[in-house]
Amino acid sequence: MPVIELQPVTNFKKPVSSMFSFEVIAKSTESRARAGVIQTSHGAVETPIFMPVGTLGTVKSVSPEELIEIGAQIILGNTYHLYLRPGCDIISRFEGLHRFMHWNKPILTDSGGFQVFSLAKLTKISDDGVTFQSHIDGSKHLLSPEKVMDIQACLGTDIMMCLDQCIRYPATREQCRAALKMTTHWARRCRQSWRKSPNGHNALFGIVQGGMFADLRRQSAEELTDIDFSGYAIGGLSVGEPIEVMLEMADFTLPKLPAVKPRYIMGVGTPENLIELVALGADMFDCVLPTRNARNGQMFTESGTINISNSRYKDDTDPPDAECRCYTCRNYSRAYLRHLYLARELLAYRLNTIHNIYFFINFIKRMRKAILADEFENFRKEFYRRLEK
Amino acid sequence: MPVIELQPVTNFKKPVSSMFSFEVIAKSTESRARAGVIQTSHGAVETPIFMPVGTLGTVKSVSPEELIEIGAQIILGNTYHLYLRPGCDIISRFEGLHRFMHWNKPILTDSGGFQVFSLAKLTKISDDGVTFQSHIDGSKHLLSPEKVMDIQACLGTDIMMCLDQCIRYPATREQCRAALKMTTHWARRCRQSWRKSPNGHNALFGIVQGGMFADLRRQSAEELTDIDFSGYAIGGLSVGEPIEVMLEMADFTLPKLPAVKPRYIMGVGTPENLIELVALGADMFDCVLPTRNARNGQMFTESGTINISNSRYKDDTDPPDAECRCYTCRNYSRAYLRHLYLARELLAYRLNTIHNIYFFINFIKRMRKAILADEFENFRKEFYRRLEK
């Protein structure tokens, strides 16, 4: 099967204004927690921030209006998925993902590096990039650093990510070192392609790799900082390692990244993870946890998770979380949500998702408020106190 | 397995005010089409009306707020389904279906007669009612006329339906006659139970049966009229017979029903069916067509249906229907809807459903406007002219 080349993006139009900036506006005096503001051409993002995952150009089951009501300020799209389906030739007809999916706030797109290694088949890596077979139809593709930049430019995303080489956990030191070397090589090419491209507006983030080896993480952070990106992500965490190791790696790596740039921990995590990582100085997060678990009937509350299919809720007239002000908790009972879920009604997935995204976004919003008031440590203590009740 | 008896509804509360009335406010001078207003304790319903189907206490994939924005004035629930799952003991904790499902406009519930014959197993009929095995777990149940009234009272619906005996098409004259006899017998018992019950507020409709035999239809209409109901439905249509036969039966039966009461054709139908049945004097309709077909990718427009999965729409930046003002058509393209549908994204079903319900409700709303202006025949001609273009 021939390698399919990306169609030239003939009718892609640059946004009228392109911009990206980040400012730290408050720092905790008791931890490394900080609050900031990112400016993009689609509006501001207040950090720390949780970004709902909208892999295929939709945050599963919810509408853009609902996301805005929930308080979402930025969402994720996925380069690998959108490149394969519906493809850039189609999205470019809408001048990018924003208009295609009816979302006019910022979008960050993952580079596809993670999906190529986790979903695609027959993946082969070379200096030129990654060749792989689509998980949908087996078609063969090459994602080079330059092509990943082109695709994200076509998507018109506000924050683009470099192509990186992800590795499984556990991995040997030699595997991690090789992947790190490739990641830096690709990062440099992404940076060059991004800057010289007419689509080189908006932001490009580098992704730190290095497995669970502190010295490799440092090397990756230093090499990427030398290249100079708009912001920095830490990839390859939450891939199966113990939580202590994940936090140790984040604790070690975050201070190695420029303090004046946003710092993004990819694919993490639970509320407990988020509060610890904010304490360590992380600014941005994304995770499928609230959305995927919602579709499996798990709902997050201040005092832990509940599984809505549990028979104890069958005649429970209370909302999922009595203190929550989301649309779901304001209008529906556990008994009704359980009924919908057991009957596999489509509304179940949506109502659960609305609640969970609201919980994550509101949880981190309250952390931000605590940082601004320099009361983050109190907030953290209170969080654990309630969780243990 | 024992017959499961309905739990006594200990904490069911009657609505503060109960009421039901119907008034014809305009008649076409060129056909039997008419416009009216039904008053219920949950608000008014302007006829002719299309009622979206919410079988299990949810119109699949859409929220009550969306239904209201679309213009829905009344929805359907289903007695058979809600009785089996979640059951009246649970719904009664919410004082009925309205609060359980967060819908404060009128609800009509089908009696379950149709489902007992189409979904349940080992159905046995006697004067006492129908015994059957649940399609969910095989549990054995008896639905008597009195129990069907109790369940609907527990659901707190604004318009209750009598238990009727449905039959397959084709059916012999003798089968139709026997089913009609049983339907009348049960209707009389439903009427008695409804009137003497403390829950006997709101409306009860009789259901005309008689298969495709005009004289049996007349007999059924006369017998039910003698019993005296708040309104009358014609059941057993659109069960596989040719459209001409369906329209012939409706044409014959509708004038046999009291003109001062609402007349409801159950389970019908296409836009073409609706316009013809309104011309014949029908006031109310329900059908799964707009909702079920939406989930299969079929969308209704003035010029016919489109299948959104068709490859011709892959890069189509137009909305499904350029003249439609629904949420979906105002904000999304055929290309995006096709992408969502092919990716089996949950939002696909919802956006398609919103459009289709809007189309049906708006279509019949425009018929009503035409009747009020005594321009219904023009409207009908124009409808066919556009369809044939």
Side-chain angles (χ1 to χ4, degrees):
Chain A
M1 207 172 286
V3 169
I4 294 173
E5 283 296 322
L6 178 65
Q7 294 301 309
V9 180
T10 47
N11 55 354
F12 176 76
K13 289 184 198 156
K14 251 175 107 165
V16 179
S17 69
S18 57
M19 57 179 286
F20 183 85
S21 68
F22 175 63
E23 192 188 358
V24 175
I25 61 170
K27 288 181 197 175
S28 166
T29 55
E30 304 158 312
S31 73
R32 289 191 232 130
R34 60 194 206 159
V37 180
I38 294 171
Q39 294 290 350
T40 79
S41 41
H42 287 96
V45 176
E46 297 174 326
T47 63
I49 189 79
F50 180 82
M51 306 180 283
V53 176
T55 305
L56 274 158
T58 164
V59 176
K60 291 186 191 309
S61 84
V62 297
S63 68
E65 286 81 0
E66 281 165 339
L67 288 170
I68 288 168
E69 191 197 319
I70 289 166
Q73 298 180 33
I74 176 171
I75 61 170
L76 239 73
N78 188 275
T79 299
Y80 169 86
H81 284 283
L82 292 167
Y83 162 68
L84 290 179
R85 187 170 56 178
C88 283
D89 50 341
I90 287 170
I91 294 179
S92 65
R93 300 225 172 195
F94 296 83
E95 296 171 26
L97 189 53
H98 290 87
R99 190 154 76 80
F100 183 60
M101 70 174 288
H102 176 51
W103 170 259
N104 62 7
K105 286 179 177 278
I107 298 176
L108 180 150
T109 40
D110 192 0
S111 65
F114 182 78
Q115 284 70 30
V116 165
F117 294 97
S118 58
L119 282 179
K121 294 172 217 160
L122 297 179
T123 301
K124 277 180 202 159
I125 296 161
S126 71
D127 275 8
D128 282 346
V130 198
T131 56
F132 63 93
Q133 282 195 342
S134 158
H135 71 290
I136 303 166
D137 61 6
S139 57
K140 208 170 166 188
H141 301 265
L142 165 68
L143 279 186
S144 65
E146 292 75 20
K147 194 192 264 187
V148 164
M149 292 298 95
D150 284 349
I151 299 168
Q152 293 183 81
C154 159
L155 295 174
T157 52
D158 301 277
I159 302 178
M160 298 158 69
M161 303 299 295
C162 285
L163 183 65
D164 60 331
Q165 185 184 342
C166 299
I167 40 175
R168 299 190 187 285
Y169 176 85
T172 65
R173 184 179 171 78
E174 192 41 45
Q175 288 170 326
C176 292
R177 209 195 53 78
L180 150 60
K181 192 179 162 193
M182 192 64 83
T183 296
T184 299
H185 172 67
W186 288 346
R188 199 166 283 126
R189 282 173 53 182
C190 282
R191 176 68 166 73
Q192 281 167 359
S193 170
W194 171 63
R195 259 306 159 218
K196 73 181 180 197
S197 152
N199 303 322
H201 55 280
N202 301 347
L204 175 63
F205 280 25
I207 305 176
V208 174
Q209 292 289 350
M212 305 305 157
F213 300 95
D215 60 329
L216 297 183
R217 287 280 173 186
R218 172 168 42 209
Q219 183 187 335
S220 182
E222 285 172 357
E223 288 176 358
L224 293 177
T225 304
D226 281 348
I227 300 172
D228 185 24
F229 289 100
S230 325
Y232 297 87
I234 302 181
L237 293 185
S238 207
V239 289
E241 76 282 12
I243 304 246
E244 300 72 37
V245 175
M246 187 268 281
L247 291 175
E248 192 187 313
M249 282 300 117
D251 186 14
F252 178 83
T253 310
L254 281 164
K256 307 287 178 289
L257 297 169
V260 296
K261 299 285 175 73
R263 299 184 292 209
Y264 163 29
I265 311 278
M266 302 182 83
V268 182
T270 64
E272 296 91 317
N273 294 161
L274 294 190
I275 203 164
E276 291 309 313
L277 291 168
V278 166
L280 296 174
D283 305 302
M284 301 165 72
F285 305 93
D286 79 282
C287 193
V288 295
L289 204 65
T291 40
R292 180 176 293 163
N293 290 22
R295 300 194 305 279
N296 292 324
Q298 190 183 59
M299 303 180 82
F300 288 84
T301 81
E302 288 283 315
S303 43
T305 56
I306 66 171
N307 195 310
I308 203 65
S309 66
N310 195 312
S311 63
R312 71 199 290 186
Y313 303 129
K314 73 176 179 183
D315 53 8
D316 191 335
T317 56
D318 286 338
D321 183 347
E323 293 178 48
C324 178
R325 295 299 301 152
C326 82
Y327 169 76
T328 304
C329 289
R330 279 186 282 117
N331 298 304
Y332 302 94
S333 64
R334 290 168 172 181
Y336 182 68
L337 295 175
R338 179 175 184 269
H339 163 63
L340 290 185
Y341 186 76
L342 292 184
R344 300 181 187 213
E345 281 287 350
L346 291 167
L347 192 60
Y349 310 115
R350 172 176 167 193
L351 295 179
N352 294 356
T353 300
I354 287 173
H355 170 78
N356 278 359
I357 299 180
Y358 185 94
F359 179 85
F360 270 67
I361 284 181
N362 212 48
F363 175 57
I364 217 161
K365 193 182 275 180
R366 282 159 51 223
M367 282 194 228
R368 187 175 196 268
K369 206 172 157 189
I371 297 166
L372 291 174
D374 203 9
E375 289 170 353
F376 182 74
E377 282 308 304
N378 278 344
F379 181 87
R380 184 152 66 141
K381 276 180 206 144
E382 177 66 11
F383 168 75
Y384 284 110
R385 197 188 60 73
R386 295 187 58 165
L387 208 56
E388 281 156 15
K389 261 206 305 201
Chain B
M1 208 172 285
V3 170
I4 293 173
E5 282 297 321
L6 179 66
Q7 294 301 307
V9 181
T10 48
N11 55 354
F12 176 77
K13 289 182 197 158
K14 252 174 107 164
V16 178
S17 70
S18 58
M19 57 179 285
F20 183 86
S21 69
F22 175 64
E23 191 188 358
V24 175
I25 60 169
K27 287 182 196 175
S28 166
T29 55
E30 305 157 310
S31 73
R32 289 192 232 131
R34 60 196 207 157
V37 180
I38 294 171
Q39 294 290 349
T40 80
S41 41
H42 287 96
V45 176
E46 296 174 327
T47 63
I49 188 81
F50 180 82
M51 306 181 282
V53 176
T55 305
L56 273 158
T58 165
V59 176
K60 291 189 193 306
S61 84
V62 297
S63 69
E65 286 81 359
E66 281 166 339
L67 288 170
I68 288 168
E69 191 198 319
I70 289 167
Q73 298 181 32
I74 176 171
I75 61 171
L76 238 75
N78 188 274
T79 299
Y80 169 86
H81 284 283
L82 292 167
Y83 162 69
L84 290 179
R85 185 168 57 176
C88 285
D89 50 342
I90 287 171
I91 294 179
S92 64
R93 301 226 171 195
F94 297 82
E95 296 170 26
L97 188 54
H98 290 87
R99 191 153 76 78
F100 183 59
M101 70 174 289
H102 176 52
W103 170 258
N104 63 6
K105 287 179 177 278
I107 297 175
L108 179 150
T109 40
D110 192 1
S111 64
F114 182 78
Q115 284 70 30
V116 165
F117 295 96
S118 58
L119 283 178
K121 295 171 220 162
L122 298 178
T123 301
K124 278 179 201 159
I125 297 161
S126 72
D127 276 8
D128 282 346
V130 197
T131 56
F132 62 94
Q133 281 196 341
S134 158
H135 71 289
I136 303 167
D137 62 5
S139 57
K140 209 171 164 186
H141 301 264
L142 165 68
L143 279 186
S144 65
E146 292 75 18
K147 194 192 265 188
V148 165
M149 292 297 97
D150 284 350
I151 299 168
Q152 292 183 83
C154 160
L155 296 174
T157 52
D158 301 277
I159 302 176
M160 298 159 67
M161 302 300 296
C162 285
L163 183 64
D164 60 331
Q165 184 183 341
C166 299
I167 39 172
R168 299 189 188 286
Y169 176 84
T172 65
R173 185 178 171 80
E174 191 41 47
Q175 287 169 328
C176 293
R177 212 195 51 77
L180 152 60
K181 192 178 163 195
M182 191 63 82
T183 296
T184 299
H185 173 66
W186 288 346
R188 199 167 280 124
R189 282 172 53 182
C190 282
R191 176 68 167 75
Q192 282 166 0
S193 170
W194 170 65
R195 258 306 159 218
K196 75 182 179 196
S197 152
N199 303 323
H201 54 281
N202 301 347
L204 176 63
F205 280 24
I207 304 175
V208 174
Q209 291 289 350
M212 305 305 156
F213 300 94
D215 61 329
L216 296 183
R217 288 278 172 186
R218 173 169 42 211
Q219 183 187 335
S220 182
E222 285 171 357
E223 288 176 0
L224 293 177
T225 304
D226 281 348
I227 299 172
D228 185 22
F229 289 102
S230 325
Y232 297 86
I234 302 181
L237 292 185
S238 205
V239 290
E241 76 281 12
I243 304 246
E244 300 71 38
V245 176
M246 187 269 280
L247 291 175
E248 191 188 313
M249 283 299 118
D251 186 15
F252 179 84
T253 311
L254 281 164
K256 307 285 177 292
L257 296 169
V260 297
K261 300 285 176 74
R263 301 184 287 209
Y264 163 27
I265 311 277
M266 303 182 83
V268 182
T270 63
E272 295 91 318
N273 295 160
L274 295 189
I275 203 164
E276 291 309 314
L277 291 167
V278 166
L280 296 174
D283 305 302
M284 302 166 71
F285 306 92
D286 78 283
C287 194
V288 294
L289 203 63
T291 41
R292 179 176 293 162
N293 290 21
R295 299 195 303 282
N296 293 325
Q298 190 183 59
M299 303 181 82
F300 288 84
T301 80
E302 288 284 315
S303 42
T305 57
I306 66 172
N307 195 309
I308 203 65
S309 66
N310 194 312
S311 62
R312 72 199 288 185
Y313 303 129
K314 72 176 179 184
D315 54 7
D316 191 335
T317 56
D318 286 338
D321 183 346
E323 291 178 49
C324 178
R325 295 301 301 155
C326 81
Y327 169 75
T328 303
C329 289
R330 278 186 282 116
N331 297 303
Y332 301 95
S333 63
R334 291 169 170 180
Y336 182 68
L337 296 174
R338 179 175 185 270
H339 163 63
L340 290 184
Y341 186 76
L342 292 184
R344 301 180 184 213
E345 281 288 348
L346 292 166
L347 192 60
Y349 310 115
R350 172 175 168 195
L351 294 180
N352 295 355
T353 300
I354 287 173
H355 170 79
N356 277 358
I357 299 179
Y358 185 94
F359 179 85
F360 270 67
I361 284 183
N362 212 48
F363 175 57
I364 217 161
K365 192 181 278 180
R366 282 160 48 223
M367 281 195 231
R368 187 177 197 268
K369 208 172 154 189
I371 297 166
L372 290 174
D374 203 8
E375 291 171 350
F376 181 74
E377 282 307 305
N378 278 345
F379 180 87
R380 184 153 65 141
K381 275 180 209 144
E382 177 66 11
F383 168 75
Y384 284 110
R385 198 188 59 75
R386 295 188 58 164
L387 208 56
E388 281 157 15
K389 260 205 309 199

